[in-house]
Amino acid sequence: MSEPIVVGIDGSEESDRAVLWAAAEAVLRERPLHIVHALESWPYRAPLFMPAETTERMTRTGHRLLTATRERLRERWCHLEVTTALVSEEPSQALQAQSGQAYELVVGSRGRGGFAGMLLGSTSLRVAARPTVPVVIVRGDTGDRGEIVVGIDLLRDVDTLLDYAFETAALRDARLRVVHAWQTFGTLIEAGYAIDGEQIELDLRGQVIETCEPLRAKYPRVDVVDEIIMEHPVTALSHASRNARLLVIGAHQRRWTAPQLGSIAHGVIHHARCPVAVIPSS
């Protein structure tokens, strides 16, 4: 079996959008779909303080949700291979464990019930902060039109990031917009330095083109647009997401504290107008 697309659900509107996005992704990539529902774990850890019928009711409800979701997807995609898992664990831990051998993990931007913490800043951000596979946070416009946008930092290794973005654009027959935002430009001007803006932009564009050259050769049919933007990366990528069907960014975790997203990835996830794919650092 190929590595599945894993998606977390809880019955909320946001998780419904996430599971539909994940199912379409699984069909497109010809991969199985694995649906996970996490029960609140504390009743199971403290059975003496919780009536048995409560935990049984929660379990039955979880099974019904998974079964109904699976059947709904099979009606739409009859050849899609779908498996399910009901787990008694904290949502972020459950998703990380279930996606250990996955190709990709998909979550909604917020949730309720079993994923009550699925608000930006909670479950979605927790799984995105420790990605071992690409994590897609489904929010904003989930239509099938528009560009694939990828934000790159020329000071980091972007091979894995670009490979995911190019492959995604090729599968969707979509234009790929490669964005490099450089805030330092404005800062230097404000400080009174004489700056040759045109030359800096030319130099940066040349670096972007050179960085993307191996992937252009690998995916020759992908229409690629290079864009150099002289503003904060969060602002630049958030604006670019308005016309995108998917925004691809690197996790860029801070490694000297508890695992958490870098400030740019954190900001982009909060302000993007389309689903965001967070790619693990290579």
Side-chain angles (χ1 to χ4, degrees):
M1 178 188 296
S2 60
E3 298 167 319
I5 307 294
V6 174
V7 59
I9 67 168
D10 69 348
S12 67
E13 181 179 349
E14 287 77 10
S15 83
D16 286 346
R17 295 174 70 198
V19 78
L20 289 175
W21 193 97
E25 174 84 341
V27 171
L28 185 65
R29 294 187 181 273
E30 298 182 341
R31 293 180 177 276
L33 180 69
H34 185 56
I35 309 172
V36 181
H37 176 63
L39 297 168
E40 293 286 358
S41 60
W42 66 267
Y44 295 86
R45 294 178 180 176
L48 295 178
F49 304 97
M50 180 61 60
E53 59 268 22
T54 300
T55 55
E56 291 174 1
R57 184 173 64 251
M58 291 172 61
T59 300
R60 288 195 301 270
T61 300
H63 280 301
R64 283 198 297 267
L65 174 61
L66 288 169
T67 300
T69 302
R70 181 179 58 205
E71 293 307 312
R72 179 162 54 97
L73 295 179
R74 283 180 172 170
E75 289 178 2
R76 184 167 179 178
W77 294 285
C78 60
H79 298 297
L80 176 61
E81 180 182 347
V82 181
T83 58
T84 63
L86 182 69
V87 293
S88 173
E89 197 170 5
E90 294 306 312
S92 60
Q93 295 173 2
L95 290 172
Q96 286 164 349
Q98 292 287 318
S99 65
Q101 302 299 319
Y103 172 79
E104 189 174 72
L105 170 61
V106 181
V107 294
S109 60
R110 63 182 69 88
R112 69 183 181 199
F115 286 90
M118 193 176 284
L119 299 167
L120 291 180
S122 185
T123 299
S124 299
L125 290 179
R126 288 192 186 113
V127 296
R130 298 170 177 255
T132 56
V133 298
V135 173
V136 178
I137 299 175
V138 178
R139 58 170 306 166
D141 184 2
T142 58
D144 58 0
R145 295 184 179 181
E147 305 174 322
I148 305 299
V149 175
V150 58
I152 67 170
D153 182 345
L154 293 171
L155 298 179
R156 297 179 183 271
D157 183 356
V158 294
D159 289 349
T160 303
L161 180 69
L162 284 175
D163 196 56
Y164 179 93
F166 269 84
E167 180 187 29
T168 299
L171 284 171
R172 288 168 168 76
D173 194 23
R175 172 183 292 172
L176 176 63
R177 183 172 298 274
V178 182
V179 176
H180 175 64
W182 196 61
Q183 185 188 24
T184 308
F185 178 77
T187 303
L188 292 175
I189 291 178
E190 292 176 0
Y193 289 93
I195 298 297
D196 186 344
E198 291 185 3
Q199 186 58 52
I200 290 176
E201 184 173 349
L202 283 173
D203 291 343
L204 291 173
R205 189 177 302 278
Q207 293 179 52
V208 170
I209 292 173
E210 181 180 359
T211 300
C212 293
E213 190 59 35
L215 277 303
R216 288 177 186 263
K218 184 177 179 180
Y219 298 96
R221 300 183 65 179
V222 174
D223 179 17
V224 183
V225 176
D226 307 304
E227 187 170 15
I228 308 301
I229 304 178
M230 302 301 185
E231 62 184 4
H232 194 282
V234 173
T235 303
L237 293 173
S238 297
H239 286 166
S241 73
R242 294 176 178 177
N243 298 314
R245 68 177 77 178
L246 182 69
L247 174 58
V248 184
I249 59 174
H252 299 160
Q253 297 103 322
R254 301 170 183 172
R255 300 186 182 279
W256 58 87
T257 61
Q260 57 183 304
L261 284 172
S263 60
I264 293 174
H266 189 279
V268 169
I269 289 173
H270 275 82
H271 298 289
R273 305 293 184 87
C274 68
V276 180
V278 182
I279 311 304
S281 301
S282 56

